[in-house]
Amino acid sequence: QVQLQESGPGLVKPSETLSLTCTVSGGSISSYYWSWIRQPPGKGLEWIGCIHYSGSTDYDPSLKSRVTISVDTSKNQFSLTLSSVTAADTAVYYCARRSRSGTYYFFDYWGQGTLVTVSS
Amino acid sequence: DIQMTQSPSSLSASVGDRVTITCRASQTISTFLNWYQQKPGKAPNLLIYAASTLQSGVPSRFSGSGSGTDFTLIISSLQPEDFATYYCQQSLKTPRTFGQGTKVEIK
């Protein structure tokens, strides 16, 4: 059974950089795309971006200038950095596996989520 | 970006009721549409992909239909564990966008 676990600071100061890591267990990080998705308190889901185990990335254009997603296959981990954060970046951050069936893609495994609060 | 609009935003229903949630895309997405269920404090759980394909392990009371811009999630007989928020998500184009959610509450 594949499991994902987010880790990182729960509090980040405004204008600083948010950094999170997702550790994948129960399966290899190879052969899939891996995503970050966030959910502001009481609101809906927002896709941030994804990375292939090979290193190919795809980002939400509205966040692209501030986001970097990287992968470490030796550790079965992938990471998110989001720079110049503001209060609007306060959210629960989820990592998720993007799977495929034919030409259809979907998020089938998710981490439990980690709340990141941006505040001084 | 493709905008996803769900209706209603919330609904109240009783155990055993048939529940229908709709999702509309701002442009045609064929059947590149997924549905997720989210319970409070938990991560979303995939219910349906490709508009109508039930994810393994999901009860058969859940069904999905639609293509193009209009989609429907149906719960044929609502169970106590189905009270949750439901999200649609398009998988045709980047950015992968979600609907705003439909909260199903106990009447």
Side-chain angles (χ1 to χ4, degrees):
Chain A
Q1 177 79 349
V2 174
Q3 292 184 315
L4 291 80
Q5 178 69 57
E6 304 90 349
S7 59
L11 181 64
V12 181
K13 290 182 168 56
S15 79
E16 296 191 345
T17 296
L18 178 160
S19 295
L20 296 173
T21 295
C22 183
T23 301
V24 180
S25 59
S28 173
I29 204 167
S30 299
S31 303
Y32 289 97
Y33 274 87
W34 302 89
S35 298
W36 288 98
I37 296 162
R38 69 180 182 180
Q39 185 170 36
K43 295 188 178 181
L45 299 161
E46 302 174 356
W47 179 80
I48 298 170
C50 65
I51 189 165
H52 191 245
Y53 74 99
S54 64
S56 171
T57 55
D58 194 9
Y59 300 132
D60 185 324
S62 69
L63 296 172
K64 189 172 185 177
S65 63
R66 298 195 292 131
V67 172
T68 301
I69 299 176
S70 58
V71 65
D72 186 338
T73 54
S74 67
K75 295 182 179 178
N76 241 30
Q77 294 177 333
F78 63 105
S79 298
L80 168 72
T81 62
L82 181 65
S83 63
S84 305
V85 297
T86 69
D89 295 309
T90 294
V92 174
Y93 285 75
Y94 294 101
C95 57
R97 188 180 83 171
R98 193 188 84 174
S99 288
R100 187 181 84 171
S101 176
T103 57
Y104 296 97
Y105 294 91
F106 42 84
F107 304 112
D108 61 347
Y109 285 96
W110 296 64
Q112 65 185 24
T114 187
L115 175 62
V116 178
T117 302
V118 178
S119 175
S120 55
Chain B
D1 297 4
I2 299 175
Q3 306 302 318
M4 308 300 294
T5 304
Q6 291 180 231
S7 60
S9 296
S10 65
L11 64 90
S12 295
S14 300
V15 173
D17 284 354
R18 178 183 176 92
V19 170
T20 301
I21 298 169
T22 64
C23 177
R24 175 165 287 177
S26 61
Q27 59 184 265
T28 184
I29 58 170
S30 183
T31 53
F32 291 92
L33 191 282
N34 306 320
W35 288 99
Y36 300 86
Q37 176 194 65
Q38 186 180 34
K39 297 181 179 179
K42 300 294 186 181
N45 180 52
L46 176 68
L47 297 176
I48 287 169
Y49 64 91
S52 61
T53 302
L54 207 62
Q55 172 68 344
S56 176
V58 174
S60 59
R61 62 181 180 273
F62 291 94
S63 65
S65 64
S67 67
T69 60
D70 295 315
F71 302 87
T72 301
L73 173 70
I74 292 175
I75 309 172
S76 61
S77 178
L78 196 66
Q79 297 302 299
E81 59 268 30
D82 301 337
F83 291 95
T85 300
Y86 294 84
Y87 292 94
C88 62
Q89 176 244 328
Q90 63 83 16
S91 61
L92 178 64
K93 292 184 180 178
T94 295
R96 318 294 179 183
T97 44
F98 292 83
Q100 82 281 13
T102 295
K103 187 173 184 179
V104 177
E105 299 176 299
I106 301 172
K107 180 183 279 187

